[in-house]
Amino acid sequence: MAANTSNYKLSAAIANLKYNDLIPYPNASDKTTREFLQKVVDILMDYIQKQNDRNEKILDFHHPEEMIKVLDLKIPLEGVSLNQLIHDCATTLKHQVKTGHPHFFNQLSSGLDLVSMAGEWLTATANTNMFTYEIAPVFILMETVVMTHMREIIGRCWRKGDSILAPGGSISNLYAFLAARHKMFPNYKEKGIATIQGQLVMYTSDQSHYSVKSCASICGLGTDNCVMVPSDERGRMIPAELERLIVDRKNKGHIPFFVACTSGTTVLGAFDPLNDIADICKKHGMWMHVDAAWGGGLLLSKKYRHPRLSGIERADSVTWNPHKLMGALLQCSTIHFKEDGLLMSCNQMSADYLFMQDKLYDIRYDTGDKVIQCGRHNDIFKLWLQWRAKGDDGFEQLMDRLMELTEYMVKRIKEQPNKFHLIMEPEMVNVSFWYVPKRLRNEPHGPSREKKLGELCPRLKAKMMEEGTLMTGYQPDDRRPNFFRNIISSAAVTEADIDFLLAEMDRLGQDM
Amino acid sequence: MAANTSNYKLSAAIANLKYNDLIPYPNASDKTTREFLQKVVDILMDYIQKQNDRNEKILDFHHPEEMIKVLDLKIPLEGVSLNQLIHDCATTLKHQVKTGHPHFFNQLSSGLDLVSMAGEWLTATANTNMFTYEIAPVFILMETVVMTHMREIIGRCWRKGDSILAPGGSISNLYAFLAARHKMFPNYKEKGIATIQGQLVMYTSDQSHYSVKSCASICGLGTDNCVMVPSDERGRMIPAELERLIVDRKNKGHIPFFVACTSGTTVLGAFDPLNDIADICKKHGMWMHVDAAWGGGLLLSKKYRHPRLSGIERADSVTWNPHKLMGALLQCSTIHFKEDGLLMSCNQMSADYLFMQDKLYDIRYDTGDKVIQCGRHNDIFKLWLQWRAKGDDGFEQLMDRLMELTEYMVKRIKEQPNKFHLIMEPEMVNVSFWYVPKRLRNEPHGPSREKKLGELCPRLKAKMMEEGTLMTGYQPDDRRPNFFRNIISSAAVTEADIDFLLAEMDRLGQDM
């Protein structure tokens, strides 16, 4: 550990100084402060360079009980020196997983967009809260501009709607649920369940993100009243099943009110048929929400938007996470509503002691009363700056490029049918497949071989992590045992990296 | 605008390059990348220096409609140059409110702790998600260490409990509500309201943060079933009133189950009498939650902890926001439970496709299944690094110092009774007072003068913002019209700044 973290040392004059020798403390000097911060920046810049060096490992794996011994994590009674803090920063990054490494294919969010990162550094330094124009004037206006732009991309009739940034797609989906319930049962806010005769019921596909089901638990419906609609073999909600299940509950006297579609499922990257579902929602007077946390990025691509997201403009609300496919830094999630005013009337608690009406400026810009968070992290600047850098064109190119790389990967997998078994043609950058070790290459594909291929996944993944050369994810689903799900969402990835990925799996797994 | 933002220019060789000349794009050079990032850092370092210059303004106020004209916020079709991005960063900070300026007394969160900021820069660069040990090994372990330490500070019997970081105190309070409901009605998760005969009722004081009431709305009770318990003249919940209101609802066949106390109310900084409330909760079999988002920091001070937070160890859950009094960067909020296992059993949606059970390492460290967020921002590193820097002793000194400064302010206000009217002796760093202009100095204090003093608040605040020299907050409450609430939560503040604050209010307001 000492070897490559000891490169970072403060000058002898300040090495043993402490936090209260930094600004804003009375003994502080600007010079000490700058040297300390510059040393942190040096560590970060070297980390970025190393992360993009394909000869470097992604991680240096230790089990938790070993890692606790390797690191000095304890909180001391007396604070450590500035030099120790520098050492702490270097050591932390040394043991952290390099999620921006070109061979990290493990997560929906990967890569490190440096413009977005610069934005996040500035956000930290500005250190403000997003509740009012009073203390975040520039950021509040940026939020207005970017949210309007995103709504226009969803659909022309969305321009006059409303949007908010939320801490992740799960909370965005919760906002949609709350707005839907409020729109349809405006007394629910004050009276709660007592206002309604009959059980509220919501619907989503069996492939949807678990946060949708979680809404039913949080909000008092109970998960039994979040009906999981069967999906087809490609992971798309089956509209006829949705309608059957709506009628089924209606016949029991229940009140179906909310359908959460998914555009880009977590595992298979599937897109629910939005137009068909919109017809059903219209017929039954239900709210249509689209969880496009993952797939939303493709709205930026003329080539890939249709047919995947066709019909999204007919929805009532849309979740879209720029921190996923678009590569904004974590976290950056947005929720959009076609109707303006709902966020406010649904969530306002009339906290006049915080959100005064008698201010110097036009308080329509204040957002504090529209959200369930009160204080909100500034998640807009990093996205705004990134979008300024890329423009709409640059984002479109990025989307198209990620999809092209996916097509390349599929092609390479098909070229090696003895080593890899493609599960289906992907609709998005999720590629689902099994790796086939030598001993199973001659066995005909069927349930028996699938079981063995599934058993291999955790073992091969463990090997990848121990070697530190590659990370890609695996999981089971309702139809099959464990299989690999590879994600290409980082601008760092090239065709050569895909070739490496497949070759490395083969190197590590062929004799397993 | 051009004047002081044009100091920041990239070298001619790279000024007109674009985002795809930065790492990780194919044409990128490490040199270009470093120059770009270094220029952003230069802007940030200069901002920090300026923010701490007492001769600099806190803000350069523009109304929203003017600000939109001054800034170029639009999202272009084609991305802008690296030099324009640098200009964008400088312009943004030029128009942002300097929340770390020593004369910014406006918000519960103020100041800029540079160690915490360095931590947030590193967090951005590491850009990972907190759901599993697999992708955030160091940060997940840090979370375990710091959360255990915080629980031990709450009370010795809390060691074996459980905790999580949440995006703000409102969501932390929501976690407490959900855990309480789940503990008392374990079938609620699946069956919802149908599992219970009778109306659930929760209690909080009329001075509590509005997010408590919001839980009742979100979770289906309805705000009518969040009973607002009257507080005494100092803003503390009246235990006898709590008990009376519990019995009242019980007599109606309702089910009182949850009391949310406040330790450090938003406006007055009041502390509810925890031991008395604990007795009542015990007697009636109710969950006791303490919202110490604001006041929790005083747990670190031997001098100020008692009697304010005496009895907190008897609670079932505690919200405590290090981003407030402790000065961690936004956001950093924690929720703690005395009982382990509740977070998991309450929030787990059995998403085996994300949180696999067959991993290489001990999955007890994974947190993804315990939270309602799925992905979580890494809010721990900045707090861990700050705590390493300060140690327990340094935090204690900071808490004591902020309270001493408050005592100094109260003393100075009392020394000028013609200019300032202190509303009450504060228990925390909130100081509530009126400023008295010349024309009202001879009028006896009473409802008529209070009304006029209240009308002055928005006008004097507007003047502060237009001059840009000072920011402090005002609001009405149930007992009185608008009054100033000054907050001392920044380590940058000195006695001289308090003197300035009072003198500047007098300079701006005496002839109003």
Side-chain angles (χ1 to χ4, degrees), chain B residues 457-473:
Chain B
C457 293
R459 291 171 52 218
L460 180 49
K461 174 65 177 275
K463 187 84 175 152
M464 291 179 203
M465 289 180 66
E466 282 160 356
E467 295 261 329
T469 49
L470 183 65
M471 281 181 79
T472 185

Side-chain angles (χ1 to χ4, degrees), chain A residues 176-195:
Chain A
F177 176 97
L178 293 173
R181 190 176 66 179
H182 179 69
K183 170 77 176 174
M184 299 171 105
F185 312 100
N187 291 329
Y188 210 103
K189 182 175 173 181
E190 283 83 27
K191 305 289 173 200
I193 192 70
T195 199

Side-chain angles (χ1 to χ4, degrees), chain B residues 132-150:
Chain B
T132 58
Y133 179 84
E134 179 170 322
I135 60 159
V138 186
F139 303 123
I140 289 277
L141 293 179
M142 282 173 182
E143 192 168 75
T144 304
V145 168
V146 178
M147 292 304 100
T148 304
H149 190 62
M150 289 179 82

